Structures are given as structure tokens and as C-alpha cells.
Amino acid sequence: MKRVLILTVTAGNAHNACANVMKRRLESIGGCEVKIINIMDSFSDKVKAWISTDGYLFAVGKFPGVYNAFFNKYAKRPPSRRYTVPSQETVLSMTEGLLREIIDFKPDVIYSTQFYGSMLITDLKLIYSLPFKSITSTLDYYIAPFWESGIGVDYFTIANDEFISDCIFKGYTREQILPWGIPVDERTLEITDKRAAKRSLGLDDDVFTAMVIFGGGYWDGGFKIFKDLVKALKGRKAQIIMINGKNKKSYKKVASMKLPEGIKVLNVGFTSDVPLYLSAADVILDKAGGSSVTEIINKGVPMLVTEKLVMQEKHNLEYLKEKGVAMSFKDARTLKEKILRLYDNPDLRKEMAERTAPLKKNAVGELAEFILNQPAADYTEILKENIDFTKVRKQVKTALKKADRHEKANRRN
């Protein structure tokens, strides 16, 4: 029986969604025991956990400019400074907890959905010979700051082969890099007839349908964009699918809003049927999160993306526009201009949809098979070490300083 430990965090919903998708896929194949752990909730102290989860969500939701300034600052740091990035302090607080879990669960494979997991593994490997195989995935169309600190994992899955050189610049070897795509719900690759999807949702199958999806529940811009979209489509016959996710405040506002004649709205809260709603849309208004973008690409739907984004999403948007599968808007005026252009030009929508074809990828299937084909881990040697868990954090901290000195020496030479 293969044992797989999946490490995730709650920084938006994408990392947890990815963890759950991989768990379902692995268990559907059979022959394995899968355990998901939210590493911040399980292993970090409350203050650091809040900063890295709720604090992060608050920052990107309320103060994106400040967040972007820090993002850009650390994007300019040389990868060789991997052992001194600010996140190392947070990661240090989790080293004891994860090592205890590893010794207790004895995984054959550890899969991580975020760079904290790969940093933890990299740091622990500085002092321990850990027998499991480790794999991590980036969920963006960009290799963001701090991924350079996770180069100790065995494998790194990325959106596609266009990002291989960026990974190598960060310090990964070509042998580590698996350009298999971003793991998302496999139903997004299923071919669903658009008219049938609309009918199944109680919508008219021949009416232009825009979908608004911003996910996570922490970003308050979704309802304003919904209002601007309604205003932009006033006087036209149209349907709008509003996916509010866990944002109950937004759901209530949409429900109480008076709609112009000819506009029909399907108001949706949190749902596990996102692939069906995607199938019914002619255009999707989104904020360019890597996982949601992948799902939309897989469904072959044109995107209209807000420009008020945090940096990783700005990079995603830049990539999407370069590929011709997305347009963007910065305010209500440009939103109206772009949505009416798409409304009036079905040929343009078709062209944009067709350009998604070369980008369609989903790592779930390949990754699950790859995980299950990894060798069994032998914990005999590490169990002989009689680890003093109370000293793990101090030992790792010392090892990080030594590794940084080694990097500095390499730079000088």
C-alpha cells in the first residue's frame, strides 16, 4: 500500500482544491493511502499561521499595492539568496511538526501544492537523509519569488515547457522539471455541449452568457464588476452567471439587486460544479488566478480579466493576453467597451476559444500515475538516528546559515 502525504495551505482556495483533486485521483486508482495536511494550521504557531493565511488574504484583498511592492522587491533578489528569504522564518516554525508527521506516517511520496511545502522539505534535507520522493506544483503561469528556496524537492511540475528556463534560473535542474500543466478538476477537460450546459442550468441556450467568477471569498471586487457588467449589458438580451464562492455578502447583494429588462442572472454561492458553469459561458470575467485560468482554458472559453491584480495574477494575465485567449479591462468604461465587442462578435469569441487549444493541459492524471510509480520508502536508517525533535528547529536554522555561506562562497568564486 503506497502512502502519500499531501501538504497544502489556505492562501485562497486553489491550493486546497488542488490537494483534494489529487487525493480523489490517487484514491480512484487505488492501492494507496492518502493524507492531506494543512501545514500552517497543523504545524505553525498562531501568529505566523495568521500572517501566512488570513493576513495574506487581507493584504491581497485590501492592499494589493503594498503586496505588489514586496513581491517586486523579492523578485529582484538573486536566487542564490534562497536560504535567507523572509519565508524561512515561517518555515522554520513548522520543521519539527512536519518531521514528526513524516516519522509517524512514513510516506513514500510527499506532494506539495505550494512553495512552503517544498521549502520545508528542502530545509529538512539539509540535515536528514529522508527516504521519500517529493513533488511540488506551481499553480501559476509564472515562477514567483521564493520558489528558488524549494530546489531540494525531487520533482517540480509547471504549467508548460515555456517556463523551464525560468526554473533553471531559480536553481532547479532539467531532470527535476515536469512541464505537465497545473492540476485542476479533471472534469474541465470533458467536452460538454454549450447549449446543453445552458439548458441544464435553466438558461436559454441561444442567449449570450457571461460568467463572473473571482473565488476565494476574500476579494471584494467581484460584486462591483458584476454591477458594472449589468450596466454595460443594459438594453441587450443577456444572461449572467455570478459565482460568489464563499462570499455570502456578495451573494445577498446580487440577490437583492434590481435587474434591467432583458438581463437574466443565475446567482450561485459556493459550488463543486464549476466545470458545468464554465461549459455554459460564452465569456468569463475572472482575475487570472492560475488554477481558475487553467480550468477556463481547458473549457475553451474566452476571458475578460480585471487589471486590478496582485503580481502573480498580473503575470498570468500578461501570458494570457500574449496567447490571445484573454482581454483585460481597468474600469467600468473599458469593461463595457470589451464586453460589447465580445457580445457583438461571435467570430472573435470563436477565435479566442480556438487559441486555448494548444494551452490545454492538466497534470492530474500523469502526476497521479507518476506518484504511484515511485519506489517504496525505507525508513530503517532514519529511525536509527533517535531524533531529538525539540532540537530540529535549531539544527535546521544552523544548517541554513551554513548553506547560505556556501552559496556566498560560490558567488565569490
Side-chain angles (χ1 to χ4, degrees):
M1 175 73 74
K2 192 81 69 179
R3 290 189 168 197
V4 181
L5 181 63
I6 298 179
L7 309 180
T8 187
V9 298
T10 302
N13 191 51
H15 304 290
N16 290 333
C18 175
N20 289 318
V21 162
M22 288 307 306
K23 184 175 188 289
R24 286 196 299 270
R25 179 61 169 168
L26 288 164
E27 290 178 339
S28 72
I29 297 173
C32 68
E33 179 184 354
V34 184
K35 184 175 184 179
I36 296 177
I37 289 185
N38 186 315
I39 55 177
M40 295 302 306
D41 290 348
S42 300
F43 304 139
S44 188
D45 63 66
K46 290 183 179 180
V47 173
K48 288 185 175 65
W50 185 90
I51 291 170
S52 297
T53 55
D54 293 343
Y56 164 79
L57 299 177
F58 182 77
V60 300
K62 301 296 185 182
F63 302 102
V66 176
Y67 172 87
N68 287 344
F70 279 99
F71 186 104
N72 289 329
K73 174 183 176 180
Y74 291 111
K76 294 175 182 177
R77 281 169 57 111
S80 58
R81 298 180 67 185
R82 67 187 85 254
Y83 298 110
T84 59
V85 299
S87 291
Q88 288 289 6
E89 191 60 37
T90 299
V91 170
L92 275 170
S93 72
M94 298 186 280
T95 49
E96 178 187 334
L98 180 59
L99 187 59
R100 286 183 183 276
E101 181 63 37
I102 290 168
I103 298 302
D104 179 56
F105 186 62
K106 299 178 181 62
D108 299 295
V109 178
I110 294 184
Y111 173 66
S112 177
T113 69
Q114 199 252 12
F115 64 78
Y116 275 153
S118 57
M119 287 177 67
L120 267 167
I121 292 165
T122 300
D123 291 357
L124 286 171
K125 277 187 173 182
L126 293 174
I127 52 174
Y128 299 109
S129 297
L130 301 171
F132 56 82
K133 291 295 183 181
S134 53
I135 306 166
T136 190
S137 294
T138 179
L139 305 185
D140 284 301
Y141 291 78
Y142 174 70
I143 310 302
F146 303 163
W147 275 112
E148 66 273 13
S149 303
I151 61 170
V153 295
D154 294 294
Y155 301 102
F156 184 32
T157 74
I158 59 175
N160 58 50
D161 56 13
E162 294 181 61
F163 301 98
I164 290 174
S165 60
D166 294 332
C167 296
I168 291 172
F169 174 74
K170 291 280 189 180
Y172 294 87
T173 66
R174 179 62 186 88
E175 291 71 28
Q176 288 175 283
I177 304 166
L178 307 175
W180 292 346
I182 294 173
V184 295
D185 192 324
E186 290 185 284
R187 292 176 296 170
T188 60
L189 284 173
E190 295 174 358
I191 298 173
T192 307
D193 179 77
K194 192 172 294 293
R195 286 177 175 268
K198 289 181 181 181
R199 288 195 298 270
S200 72
L201 294 171
L203 299 171
D204 296 324
D205 63 10
D206 60 347
V207 175
F208 175 84
T209 303
M211 176 172 164
V212 181
I213 179 168
F214 290 94
Y218 63 87
W219 197 76
D220 291 332
F223 178 69
K224 180 182 185 306
I225 287 171
F226 169 78
K227 284 200 305 180
D228 290 340
L229 177 62
V230 170
K231 185 182 288 188
L233 291 170
K234 186 176 181 180
R236 312 273 181 126
K237 188 174 183 180
Q239 299 172 140
I240 301 174
I241 302 170
M242 179 63 180
I243 306 291
N244 298 278
K246 295 179 181 179
N247 194 328
K248 295 179 181 178
K249 188 176 179 182
S250 174
Y251 181 89
K252 290 178 181 178
K253 285 182 177 180
V254 172
S256 63
M257 187 171 167
K258 186 176 180 181
L259 299 170
E261 186 177 348
I263 304 291
K264 181 177 182 178
V265 171
L266 186 58
N267 191 23
V268 184
F270 182 80
T271 177
S272 59
D273 289 324
V274 169
L276 175 60
Y277 292 102
L278 295 176
S279 298
D282 296 299
V283 174
I284 295 176
L285 284 76
D286 187 55
K287 67 178 185 67
S291 291
S292 61
V293 159
T294 302
E295 292 180 333
I296 297 167
I297 285 172
N298 287 351
K299 280 298 182 183
V301 186
M303 283 171 267
L304 185 52
V305 180
T306 176
E307 294 175 9
K308 295 178 181 178
L309 301 168
V310 292
M311 281 310 302
Q312 64 267 32
E313 293 168 348
K314 284 180 181 288
H315 285 289
N316 290 340
L317 174 57
E318 182 180 337
Y319 180 81
L320 297 171
K321 291 173 74 171
E322 177 188 315
K323 298 300 179 183
V325 300
M327 294 180 176
S328 65
F329 63 93
K330 61 181 179 180
D331 52 29
R333 181 185 63 79
T334 51
L335 168 58
K336 181 176 181 178
E337 174 191 321
K338 300 291 176 65
I339 196 67
L340 293 184
R341 183 180 171 194
L342 289 164
Y343 184 104
D344 292 330
N345 291 276
D347 287 343
L348 174 59
R349 300 199 303 268
K350 183 180 178 182
E351 287 173 17
M352 292 175 70
E354 288 172 348
R355 291 189 194 115
T356 64
L359 305 177
K360 291 183 181 182
K361 277 194 173 194
N362 190 352
V364 172
E366 280 182 290
L367 190 49
E369 292 287 350
F370 187 74
I371 287 172
L372 293 178
N373 285 327
Q374 295 305 303
D378 183 356
Y379 281 81
T380 304
E381 292 303 315
I382 193 169
L383 290 175
K384 291 178 182 177
E385 293 188 27
N386 294 319
I387 298 167
D388 184 346
F389 290 99
T390 64
K391 295 182 179 179
V392 170
R393 178 172 178 169
K394 184 177 180 180
Q395 290 172 334
V396 173
K397 191 171 185 176
T398 300
L400 286 170
K401 290 179 180 178
K402 183 178 179 180
D404 183 53
R405 288 196 297 270
H406 180 73
E407 289 278 5
K408 287 179 180 175
N410 287 339
R411 289 201 301 271
R412 286 195 296 269
N413 295 334

